[in-house]
């Protein structure tokens, strides 16, 4: 059984110290095999925010996979955003934008869905392109019998109170492609809401903002996921009266047609 801690939208610069330290304590007491961080580590992509985010994550043991979000490129320095959107990320946090990590029983791939600009006024929206779909198919298609995980910032599933938010562009085309590569689990953030479901036989899990004050009608949260080749359980742990507590738990099982709710 593989343990995954899925955190997102840390927004250093707007982090809540009490919540930050409580999350750190939980993850140090019960370290996951994989820590998945689905973007928006910073609020304004400032060097000090990146340094603080890196220092926080380095205090959590275990294998780590981290992808950027739209807040991790400059919002005000438009020239830098257009010419070198990931300069600060690479200098102050990590040279990697789309890492691949693996461990006993899993292989995980990051996909950078954040874009420097878009055709709409809302540049916070993201998308996946054909090259990223192809790389995911190649990298995860060769994972053998290991659990195959994708980590991205923008959602590949919208449901409930998130229905009015922007889904990752081309995600509808991507999911059948990823299904053929036998992807099991897609993790995302961006909408600051916690939920999970299935798309094309793949489990998609979203989490809220894990430690920031930028709430969207739900408390801070993160996901504790337990998974093997037959069962995936997504436990939402939400901040309540000074501690993270189980809010709900969703269970999925593998079938010949893909993953379904159990």
């Amino acid at each position: 059984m593989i343990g995954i801690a899925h955190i997102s939208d840390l927004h250093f610069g707007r982090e809540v110290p009490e919540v930050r330290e409580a999350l750190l304590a939980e993850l140090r007491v019960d370290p996951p095999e994989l820590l998945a961080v689905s973007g928006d580590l910073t609020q304004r992509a400032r060097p000090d925010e990146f340094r603080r985010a890196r220092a926080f994550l380095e205090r959590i043991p275990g294998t780590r996979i981290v992808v950027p979000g739209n807040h991790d490129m400059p919002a005000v320095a438009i020239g830098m955003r257009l010419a070198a959107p990931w300069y600060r990320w690479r200098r102050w946090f990590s040279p990697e934008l789309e890492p691949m990590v693996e461990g006993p029983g899993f292989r995980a791939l990051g996909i950078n869905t954040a874009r420097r600009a878009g055709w709409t006024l809302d540049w916070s929206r993201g998308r996946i392109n054909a090259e990223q779909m192809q790389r995911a198919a190649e990298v995860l298609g060769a994972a053998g019998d290991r659990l195959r995980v994708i980590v991205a910032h923008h959602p590949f599933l919208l449901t409930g109170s998130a229905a009015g938010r922007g889904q990752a562009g081309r995600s509808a085309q991507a999911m059948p492609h990823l299904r053929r590569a036998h992807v099991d689990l897609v993790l995302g953030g961006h909408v600051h809401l916690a939920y999970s479901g299935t798309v094309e036989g793949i489990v998609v899990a979203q989490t809220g903002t894990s430690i920031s004050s930028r709430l969207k009608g739900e408390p801070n949260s993160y996901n504790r996921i337990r998974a093997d080749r037959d069962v995936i359980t997504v436990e939402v742990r939400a901040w309540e009266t000074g501690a993270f507590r189980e809010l709900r738990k969703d269970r999925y099982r593998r079938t010949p047609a893909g993953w379904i709710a159990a």
Side-chain angles (χ1 to χ4, degrees), residues 169-184:
R170 297 184 180 174
S171 59
Q173 295 95 315
M175 293 305 277
H177 196 74
L178 300 178
R179 176 72 184 96
R180 289 192 291 273
H182 306 290
V183 170
D184 299 298

Side-chain angles (χ1 to χ4, degrees), residues 30 37 41 60 87 103 109 121 148 155 162 178 209 220 240 243:
D30 183 15
V37 188
L41 277 64
I60 302 171
Y87 172 78
L109 176 67
L121 293 176
R148 305 166 196 225
L178 300 178
T209 174
N220 297 103
E240 179 185 351

Side-chain angles (χ1 to χ4, degrees), residues 8 17 20 23 39 51 54 58 62 97 105 195 198 203 223 227 239 256:
S8 192
R20 178 195 65 209
L23 177 61
R51 286 194 293 264
R54 183 179 63 201
E58 286 175 349
L97 295 175
Y195 56 88
T198 60
V203 178
N223 292 330
W239 182 253

Side-chain angles (χ1 to χ4, degrees), residues 42-231:
T42 68
Q43 177 63 15
R44 295 295 182 192
R46 295 178 175 131
D48 182 60
E49 294 171 352
F50 280 125
R51 286 194 293 264
R52 285 154 54 199
R54 183 179 63 201
F56 172 77
L57 295 177
E58 286 175 349
R59 295 171 69 191
I60 302 171
T63 301
R64 180 170 67 241
I65 183 168
V66 188
V67 297
N70 52 284
H71 275 260
D72 297 321
M73 67 181 95
V76 177
I78 297 299
M80 178 180 286
R81 182 185 180 103
L82 295 178
W86 303 115
Y87 172 78
R88 291 179 179 172
W89 173 278
R90 288 189 165 110
R91 179 176 181 183
W92 300 107
F93 184 76
S94 169
E96 295 285 348
L97 295 175
E98 297 190 319
M100 188 277 285
V101 302
E102 55 189 351
F106 71 86
R107 177 176 287 183
L109 176 67
I111 294 179
N112 178 19
T113 55
R115 297 295 185 261
R116 72 187 77 191
W119 295 109
T120 69
L121 293 176
D122 183 2
W123 287 4
S124 72
R125 296 196 175 194
R127 60 184 180 274
I128 182 173
N129 62 34
E131 291 78 13
Q132 291 171 312
M133 295 181 209
Q134 182 61 34
R135 180 173 181 245
E138 292 171 357
V139 171
L140 296 178
D145 63 354
R146 288 175 286 189
L147 190 79
R148 305 166 196 225
V149 183
I150 282 176
V151 184
H153 179 59
H154 292 85
F156 283 55
L157 169 67
L158 293 175
T159 183
S161 57
R165 303 294 298 276
Q167 192 161 302
R170 297 184 180 174
S171 59
Q173 295 95 315
M175 293 305 277
H177 196 74
L178 300 178
R179 176 72 184 96
R180 289 192 291 273
H182 306 290
V183 170
D184 299 298
L185 180 62
V186 175
L187 305 177
H190 186 61
V191 295
H192 295 204
L193 301 170
Y195 56 88
S196 65
T198 60
V199 182
E200 295 287 339
I202 299 171
V203 178
V204 180
Q206 296 286 129
T207 190
T209 174
S210 295
I211 63 171
S212 88
S213 61
R214 301 185 73 247
L215 303 177
K216 304 293 184 183
E218 289 187 4
N220 297 103
S221 67
Y222 78 104
N223 292 330
R224 291 302 301 238
I225 299 168
R226 306 288 181 186
D228 58 24
R229 295 299 299 167
D230 299 311
V231 175

